[in-house]
């Protein structure tokens, strides 16, 4: 389907989650995700097109640079702390922004979720995690620190959540 179709499908997924859970926009949310190669590279653009902030983690700096060159990603942060500070500021200002940071997602996302990281203030707002809800392929997991995890059915025509790659 090519990159245009991947962006379209990913955008439709986030737009539907925004419509169902956040009043039609991702403004005021941070979407942390990992993997900017292949199909995962569409996520930061789709999140910002929906008005949100994307905090993208990838272990390979060349993937982040490639997404910057193609304008699928807005910025590259110097560290996870820096990425979290930029994401929090953009979220609070309700400005769409996508930030890439070089880190190991297997370590970074649990640190963010556990609040062990100095920049864990990111978790003070509402967030989206794209994942398999364990209830079939047509699920998007929406994480809100107040309500916890909720499974939301994807829009018709979507066969699966946006692709994830090992970080």
């Amino acid at each position: 389907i090519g990159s245009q179709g991947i962006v379209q499908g990913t955008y439709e997924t986030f737009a539907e989650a925004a419509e169902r859970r956040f009043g039609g926009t991702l403004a005021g949310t941070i979407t942390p995700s990992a993997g900017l190669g292949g199909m995962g590279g569409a996520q930061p653009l789709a999140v910002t097109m929906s008005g949100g902030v994307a905090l993208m983690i990838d272990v390979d700096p060349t993937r982040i640079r490639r997404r910057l060159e193609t304008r699928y990603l807005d910025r590259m942060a110097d560290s996870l702390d820096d990425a979290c500070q930029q994401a929090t500021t953009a979220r609070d200002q309700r400005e769409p922004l996508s930030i890439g940071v070089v880190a190991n997602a297997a370590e970074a996302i649990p640190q963010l979720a556990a609040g062990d990281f100095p920049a864990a203030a990111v978790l003070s707002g509402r967030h989206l995690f794209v994942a398999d809800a364990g209830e079939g392929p047509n699920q998007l997991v929406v994480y809100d620190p107040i309500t916890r995890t909720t499974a939301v059915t994807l829009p018709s025509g979507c066969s699966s959540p946006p692709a994830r790659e090992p970080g």
Side-chain angles (χ1 to χ4, degrees):
I1 63 176
S3 60
Q4 192 67 14
I6 293 165
V7 171
Q8 179 65 31
T10 305
Y11 167 75
E12 292 294 334
T13 300
F14 284 114
E16 183 67 16
E19 184 64 35
R20 291 185 185 209
R21 293 288 187 199
F22 303 109
T25 180
L26 292 182
T29 67
I30 297 171
T31 305
S33 190
L36 286 167
M39 291 173 50
Q43 291 183 51
L45 181 58
V47 170
T48 58
M49 287 171 59
S50 296
V53 177
L55 195 161
M56 303 301 301
I57 301 164
D58 200 305
V59 71
D60 184 351
T62 61
R63 289 181 180 175
I64 295 173
R65 285 192 290 274
R66 181 174 60 227
R67 298 304 175 192
L68 287 168
E69 290 167 6
T70 59
R71 301 182 67 151
Y72 277 48
L73 189 66
D74 296 320
R75 297 182 187 165
M76 183 173 177
D78 295 328
S79 66
L80 187 58
D81 278 337
D82 180 37
C84 290
Q85 289 171 349
Q86 289 183 50
T88 301
T89 299
R91 179 201 63 206
D92 293 348
Q93 295 174 355
R94 300 181 64 81
E95 294 287 332
L97 180 67
S98 58
I99 306 152
V101 63
V102 177
N104 181 340
E107 296 170 356
I109 288 181
Q111 287 174 326
L112 289 173
D116 311 341
F117 225 77
V122 168
L123 294 177
S124 67
R126 296 187 334 194
H127 314 277
L128 299 174
F129 288 90
V130 175
D132 180 356
E135 298 176 16
N138 293 338
Q139 299 290 312
L140 176 68
V141 175
V142 179
Y143 176 77
D144 185 301
I146 296 167
T147 63
R148 303 294 176 171
T149 302
T150 307
V152 179
T153 303
L154 296 179
S156 61
C158 291
S159 59
S160 64
R164 295 173 312 191
E165 296 180 9

